[in-house]
Amino acid sequence: MLTNKMIGVIGGGQCSPEIAKLAEEVGERIAQNDGLLICGGLSGVMEAACKGAKKQHGTTIGILPGDRTSDANDYVDIAIATGLGEARNVIIVKSSDAVIAINGEYGTLSEISFCLKLGKPVIGLKTWNFDPGIIDAKDATQALNKVMELVR
Amino acid sequence: MLTNKMIGVIGGGQCSPEIAKLAEEVGERIAQNDGLLICGGLSGVMEAACKGAKKQHGTTIGILPGDRTSDANDYVDIAIATGLGEARNVIIVKSSDAVIAINGEYGTLSEISFCLKLGKPVIGLKTWNFDPGIIDAKDATQALNKVMELVR
Amino acid sequence: MLTNKMIGVIGGGQCSPEIAKLAEEVGERIAQNDGLLICGGLSGVMEAACKGAKKQHGTTIGILPGDRTSDANDYVDIAIATGLGEARNVIIVKSSDAVIAINGEYGTLSEISFCLKLGKPVIGLKTWNFDPGIIDAKDATQALNKVMELVR
Amino acid sequence: MLTNKMIGVIGGGQCSPEIAKLAEEVGERIAQNDGLLICGGLSGVMEAACKGAKKQHGTTIGILPGDRTSDANDYVDIAIATGLGEARNVIIVKSSDAVIAINGEYGTLSEISFCLKLGKPVIGLKTWNFDPGIIDAKDATQALNKVMELVR
């Protein structure tokens, strides 16, 4: 039974310390709200978010672009090796009940696009902001409050 | 030998008559420039562009989301049934030497994102316009002039 | 950190009561050996194996062919909605440290083929048996003994 | 309009001169029967079959595992860069009206499995032969005769 909500975290594979701190807080809040964190499993925003979730004893899932589960960052519990490259982005979106976009560049934009196309709630933190469908949040706590309201 | 350039056309599965006319002109220009037209193979912008290419005896390729080649529009010569849903979008981008985006919504935006991420030239006609990486064109002829310069 | 081994279970979406019992035992053994059970997330062998793992408080992961996590059977903890159809089969193989094939038909055969191609250990229980690369086991306990030796 | 039949050719990326000769003959026969040849686009059986088709002025399509169309062998007219690795195998099967398997190893076996699962006619030439669903042929001419009967 899928009792816990699956919350996607998307963002760049490289990020500033400030963004990493924000991603870590998002990860903490996801775990504190009993969400499962799903992401691309690599470094940057993904790693920071997984680190935060593990601090709070949450569960983390990485949907990797490559062929090896060992590509996952150190805070991934369950590593899925898709071997699909960028095509794996849409799997993160389809598997999430809601998605939190943190900063990020064009890969993140592709995932936001899929959220908007598929009608999946997407909350934005310091990220692309060109469409009313991207729900703005001012910090990690507000992002999770909005997510939990949307997926209840 | 891959002697002809592969030109992607991306855009909505539904479109206005005005956009369809523009897409048809783009298809004609692709064929007149000896390009191979690759697209998602369905209706709307994709069908209009294929129709234009066939008017000029070009070759058209449809990368379909579903399991059946019979899903292709009537102007597709070579139908590829991926069965991958939206994940097929990235295949269109990877297979193109350059991409022309015509109007379109979130699906088109995902493809533009993949172009920008992968460094694939993308020319825009009445489409998303939020990034300097999207090369603006005013009509079909100018779009093809820019494409042919970029892929030479 | 990927501390627990990921054990794939592959087999038909429909199966006899006898095969379901065998799959359930395999699921129980995986959990008892601290493995994570990964499978296609649907009915038949997949459901029975997940049911067995949950009896022993294990963790179950379903890599679904469709677009919705709600397609997962009732014993899946973590549902990944790939939207890729049969192309998702290779993801199960790539994500597993070893695979146990139970009965099954042509879909199972495609997964066994990917195991053999990619050099992933595959243990067979009442399944396809045409290649020395498929390691035969006589029951669930022996299958897990062989798996745990191979992935240590 | 999909007026020409799409005929898949599957087989190993490496092969003996004898198998290459057989694959080349199959390619020639496909072109002589106005079929479009679709394959994995790489070397070995795929390259030999494409070479044969081009000798007879046929059209060849390569569904590549990697990210670059330049990975295609020299006899591919239309190169599709999927970036999906082995997951691209199922695209070849879904896009074909019928498939001819020539020799081959486990990758070929995965494709034969998908043919049998999806009910796609598969003709075998010196290949896996463990299932009555694989239609045996003794040479290239007989293989094409059987294919053309099945896809008419």
Side-chain angles (χ1 to χ4, degrees), chain A residues 114-126:
Chain A
F114 285 129
C115 287
L116 295 170
K117 178 167 178 60
L118 300 171
K120 193 80 69 174
V122 55
I123 283 80
L125 277 166
K126 301 185 191 296

Side-chain angles (χ1 to χ4, degrees), chain A:
Chain A
M1 285 283 289
L2 307 172
T3 45
N4 298 85
K5 296 299 176 183
M6 192 90 105
I7 313 299
V9 174
I10 59 177
Q14 293 188 309
C15 67
S16 68
E18 181 204 14
I19 292 297
K21 188 164 174 297
L22 178 59
E24 195 174 325
E25 284 169 9
V26 166
E28 290 199 58
R29 295 296 165 276
I30 290 174
Q32 289 167 335
N33 282 278
D34 295 325
L36 305 171
L37 190 159
I38 183 169
C39 68
L42 299 177
S43 53
V45 161
M46 300 170 265
E47 181 165 2
C50 288
K51 187 179 175 186
K54 293 314 297 175
K55 262 184 165 174
Q56 301 294 338
H57 312 291
T59 297
T60 56
I61 300 144
I63 306 293
L64 297 159
D67 286 338
R68 285 183 310 272
T69 55
S70 58
D71 293 342
N73 70 58
D74 284 350
Y75 307 97
V76 167
D77 296 316
I78 293 168
I80 307 298
T82 68
L84 300 175
E86 292 78 9
R88 71 75 150 89
N89 292 7
V90 72
I91 298 179
I92 299 169
V93 172
K94 288 185 177 175
S95 301
S96 297
D97 291 297
V99 171
I100 301 174
I102 304 173
N103 199 250
E105 301 192 23
Y106 299 128
T108 304
L109 181 58
S110 75
E111 288 156 333
I112 292 175
S113 308
F114 285 129
C115 287
L116 295 170
K117 178 167 178 60
L118 300 171
K120 193 80 69 174
V122 55
I123 283 80
L125 277 166
K126 301 185 191 296
T127 189
W128 296 94
N129 187 3
F130 57 88
D131 192 283
I134 306 167
I135 301 163
D136 203 48
K138 67 173 175 28
D139 59 24
T141 300
Q142 196 188 56
L144 260 292
N145 287 347
K146 292 192 175 191
V147 161
M148 297 318 291
E149 225 167 88
L150 286 161
V151 302
R152 198 181 302 157

Side-chain angles (χ1 to χ4, degrees), chain B residues 22 99-103 112 121-129 133-139 142-143 146-147:
Chain B
L22 178 58
V99 171
I100 301 173
I102 305 172
N103 201 248
I112 292 175
V122 54
I123 282 83
L125 277 166
K126 301 185 190 299
T127 188
W128 296 95
N129 187 2
I134 306 167
I135 301 164
D136 203 50
K138 68 174 177 22
D139 60 25
Q142 196 189 54
K146 293 191 175 193
V147 162

Side-chain angles (χ1 to χ4, degrees), chain C residues 13-130:
Chain C
Q14 293 189 310
C15 67
S16 70
E18 181 204 11
I19 292 295
K21 189 164 173 299
L22 178 59
E24 195 175 324
E25 284 169 11
V26 166
E28 290 199 58
R29 292 301 164 273
I30 290 174
Q32 289 166 335
N33 282 277
D34 295 324
L36 304 171
L37 189 159
I38 183 168
C39 69
L42 298 176
S43 53
V45 161
M46 300 170 264
E47 181 165 1
C50 289
K51 187 179 175 186
K54 294 312 297 174
K55 262 184 164 174
Q56 301 294 338
H57 312 292
T59 297
T60 55
I61 301 145
I63 306 293
L64 297 159
D67 287 336
R68 286 183 310 273
T69 54
S70 57
D71 292 343
N73 71 59
D74 284 350
Y75 307 97
V76 167
D77 296 316
I78 293 168
I80 307 298
T82 68
L84 301 176
E86 290 80 9
R88 71 77 151 87
N89 291 8
V90 73
I91 298 179
I92 300 169
V93 173
K94 289 186 175 174
S95 301
S96 298
D97 291 297
V99 171
I100 302 174
I102 306 172
N103 200 248
E105 302 192 23
Y106 299 127
T108 303
L109 180 58
S110 74
E111 289 158 328
I112 292 174
S113 308
F114 285 128
C115 287
L116 295 170
K117 178 168 178 58
L118 300 171
K120 193 79 72 174
V122 55
I123 283 83
L125 278 166
K126 300 184 190 299
T127 188
W128 297 95
N129 188 3
F130 57 89

Side-chain angles (χ1 to χ4, degrees), chain D residues 48-60:
Chain D
C50 288
K51 186 178 176 186
K54 294 313 298 175
K55 261 185 166 175
Q56 302 294 338
H57 313 290
T59 296
T60 56

